[in-house]
Amino acid sequence: MPISPEHQAEIDALRSAPQSTLRAVAPGMEQHLYRAAPVLDHGFVRVIDYMGDDAAICQAARVSYGRGTKSVQNDEGLIRYLMRHWHSTPFEMCEIKLHVKLPVFVARQWIRHRTANVNEYSARYSILDREFYIPAEGDLAAQSVVNNQGRGGTLEGEEAARVLEILKADSNRCYDNYEAMISQDGQDGLARELARMNLPANIYTQWYWKVDLHNLFHFLRLRADAHAQYEIRVYADAICAMVADWVPAAYRAFEDYRLGGATLSGRALECVRKMLAGEEVTQETSGMSKGEWREFQATLNG
């Protein structure tokens, strides 16, 4: 169950008491505010607060760039110009604060994005719940033979069942021992800050994560990509849906130039020019390594 009764009661109470404000609001984001979007088997993402909208991006850009933006005829055109030319600071005028419930191993990937403010649930002071991420059978995959970071074919039948049983049994055994170590029934009980080291990386944690739109777009560009690990990509996809409603013009530009676009090296661009001129280009004549050439071909072929 992704949403606990306590969290649902908090959400219901907050949504039942709207407040008037003079600050700019984004109607699309107001529909997401406090609602929890379920992710994986026990996780969720919910918007706690936000600041700014598409107009805030344009307002900041026009202050910063002044007369240089007068040729841009409308706000969306300006936003696309900013995105196209990598002018990032106007996007930093928008911020979002999220409450995220996620497996610890996903959190360790996520925290590598060091341009946010984070406050995580503390297992030093509190006892973690018996909630573990157990993949669906269709998400169990073998190691990729071409990418050390990726997945290969899906595990099936007896092998998939065996792996799932190991994951479930190990998770529960570790938690049983965790409870036994911290128990004060007839013993002093091990300190929580020490007992937590025995918990598996698939146990769920929670945090508040606040980030500006520029750095959020950077996170989404990497984590909503088809090559990102599935377990973090589904969180990025849920956030993308929220951002699309929050700053629709900025998100359309991001989707076009970042998610749907590609960056070419100087060598790759030269190869494209030769191809357009009718020349035959091979990996051997391109000046690229085999890995670069494979990625270049994948970019061209979609």
Side-chain angles (χ1 to χ4, degrees):
M1 181 176 66
I3 311 300
S4 69
E6 293 78 11
H7 280 144
Q8 189 60 55
E10 179 187 353
I11 291 169
D12 293 342
L14 290 166
R15 290 196 62 83
S16 67
Q19 300 182 36
S20 61
T21 178
L22 293 176
R23 74 173 189 170
V25 296
M29 183 58 94
E30 290 292 308
Q31 300 304 309
H32 290 286
L33 198 59
Y34 301 124
R35 295 189 190 278
V39 184
L40 298 179
D41 49 359
H42 299 292
F44 62 74
V45 177
R46 67 181 180 121
V47 181
I48 298 299
D49 199 3
Y50 71 97
M51 180 182 76
D53 56 5
D54 280 328
I57 299 168
C58 297
Q59 179 189 54
R62 291 188 171 110
V63 167
S64 299
Y65 290 81
R67 295 173 59 185
T69 62
K70 285 191 175 181
S71 62
V72 180
Q73 298 301 312
N74 55 66
D75 283 359
E76 182 151 9
L78 172 57
I79 287 172
R80 289 181 63 81
Y81 174 88
L82 296 171
M83 184 70 70
R84 187 164 64 248
H85 292 278
W86 298 86
H87 294 309
S88 60
T89 51
F91 296 99
E92 295 173 8
M93 299 299 108
C94 295
E95 292 193 345
I96 188 171
K97 180 164 65 176
L98 301 173
H99 177 194
V100 188
K101 183 179 179 184
L102 68 173
V104 165
F105 74 92
V106 175
R108 297 305 158 251
Q109 281 188 314
W110 195 313
I111 205 68
R112 290 180 59 81
H113 297 267
R114 300 182 296 276
T115 49
N117 305 112
V118 185
N119 195 52
E120 186 175 0
Y121 184 93
S122 176
R124 293 185 67 194
Y125 304 108
S126 304
I127 298 173
L128 291 172
D129 294 328
R130 187 190 286 265
E131 288 184 318
F132 311 100
Y133 168 63
I134 304 296
E137 187 167 333
D139 295 324
L140 294 174
Q143 176 64 42
S144 170
V145 296
V146 296
N147 184 351
N148 290 333
Q149 294 181 327
R151 301 182 184 186
T154 303
L155 300 183
E156 297 177 346
E158 292 184 2
E159 185 173 11
R162 177 181 64 85
V163 169
L164 284 174
E165 182 55 36
I166 291 172
L167 288 172
K168 293 174 183 176
D170 282 356
S171 298
N172 282 299
R173 182 170 59 252
C174 287
Y175 196 89
D176 287 343
N177 290 331
Y178 170 69
E179 285 189 318
M181 287 188 289
I182 64 176
S183 172
Q184 294 179 326
D185 185 12
Q187 62 180 19
D188 291 334
L190 185 65
R192 293 169 186 171
E193 67 178 23
L194 290 171
R196 62 181 172 170
M197 73 174 116
N198 197 52
L199 291 169
N202 65 332
I203 197 165
Y204 274 84
T205 185
Q206 299 182 43
W207 62 30
Y208 273 34
W209 192 69
K210 183 173 72 70
V211 66
D212 66 60
L213 184 60
H214 164 61
N215 286 297
L216 178 59
F217 277 154
H218 180 67
F219 170 85
L220 295 175
R221 182 177 67 84
L222 295 175
R223 302 306 183 178
D225 185 87
H227 299 95
Q229 183 172 342
Y230 166 77
E231 284 79 12
I232 196 168
R233 191 171 73 245
V234 289
Y235 282 92
D237 289 342
I239 297 171
C240 279
M242 298 170 179
V243 176
D245 289 336
W246 171 29
V247 283
Y251 186 79
R252 284 192 292 270
F254 165 72
E255 201 170 31
D256 193 12
Y257 291 114
R258 301 290 184 269
L259 284 183
T263 300
L264 296 179
S265 68
R267 286 179 180 176
L269 189 58
E270 183 60 29
C271 288
V272 171
R273 292 191 180 108
K274 289 180 179 179
M275 291 174 177
L276 290 173
E279 296 183 36
E280 182 181 356
V281 181
T282 65
Q283 186 262 313
E284 290 75 16
T285 62
S286 68
M288 301 184 201
S289 67
K290 290 182 179 180
E292 287 176 306
W293 180 254
R294 185 170 59 247
E295 293 170 4
F296 174 62
Q297 291 291 299
T299 298
L300 294 183
N301 296 327

